[in-house]
Amino acid sequence: MGIQVEFNPDLALRNISCYKEGNRSLEECIPENLEVGKRYDFLKEGQRNYFFLDQIPLVETQGGGKLSRPLASIVIVEATHFLKEGMVCTKGAYEVREVFDPTDPTVYFEAMGRRY
């Protein structure tokens, strides 16, 4: 038996409708109105590692690897692994650096690097 660890180049959260329907916690979802400079909490199942030293994309997930284009550029400021009802989870906080227009075709990230 090994230790399952996932390295994530982005933070993938659910649509806020999942919270409103009672299917997910607020921390598992993208806030309705992302504000630059504001700090938000997140929660993910599994033992996940994130890059702390630079900006990463915030994307929306529908599950099964289906991800949106970047919705915002964020910096992870805190991440902690813990057990929740016998399941390993990762909780933490991120700060929004820039919010993107989802209809804008501009490429904001190239692989792991932020494009300006």
Side-chain angles (χ1 to χ4, degrees):
M1 182 171 153
I3 300 170
Q4 289 187 332
V5 177
E6 197 170 315
F7 291 82
N8 294 130
D10 52 32
L11 179 59
L13 300 175
R14 301 286 178 151
N15 186 284
I16 193 67
S17 64
C18 294
Y19 168 71
K20 291 179 178 179
E21 294 165 0
N23 299 323
R24 299 281 176 166
S25 70
L26 184 60
E27 294 79 15
E28 292 176 284
C29 299
I30 298 169
E32 267 186 287
N33 298 309
L34 287 170
E35 295 180 39
V36 173
K38 190 167 180 184
R39 187 174 169 158
Y40 299 92
D41 293 329
F42 73 88
L43 174 65
K44 296 288 290 181
E45 291 182 359
Q47 188 168 331
R48 297 165 184 268
N49 289 324
Y50 296 97
F51 187 59
F52 277 79
L53 298 177
D54 204 357
Q55 298 177 44
I56 64 171
L58 174 65
V59 297
E60 183 179 308
T61 181
Q62 296 176 2
K66 295 180 182 176
L67 304 174
S68 71
R69 295 189 69 232
L71 303 174
S73 179
I74 64 166
V75 173
I76 301 286
V77 295
E78 178 184 339
T80 304
H81 303 119
F82 70 104
L83 288 175
K84 179 181 179 182
E85 300 172 6
M87 181 184 309
V88 177
C89 293
T90 304
K91 66 180 176 179
Y94 61 95
E95 184 179 298
V96 177
R97 294 294 172 89
E98 186 176 352
V99 177
F100 305 134
D101 175 354
T103 63
D104 183 355
T106 302
V107 175
Y108 295 102
F109 288 89
E110 190 75 45
M112 286 289 297
R114 172 78 166 93
R115 291 181 67 181
Y116 296 94

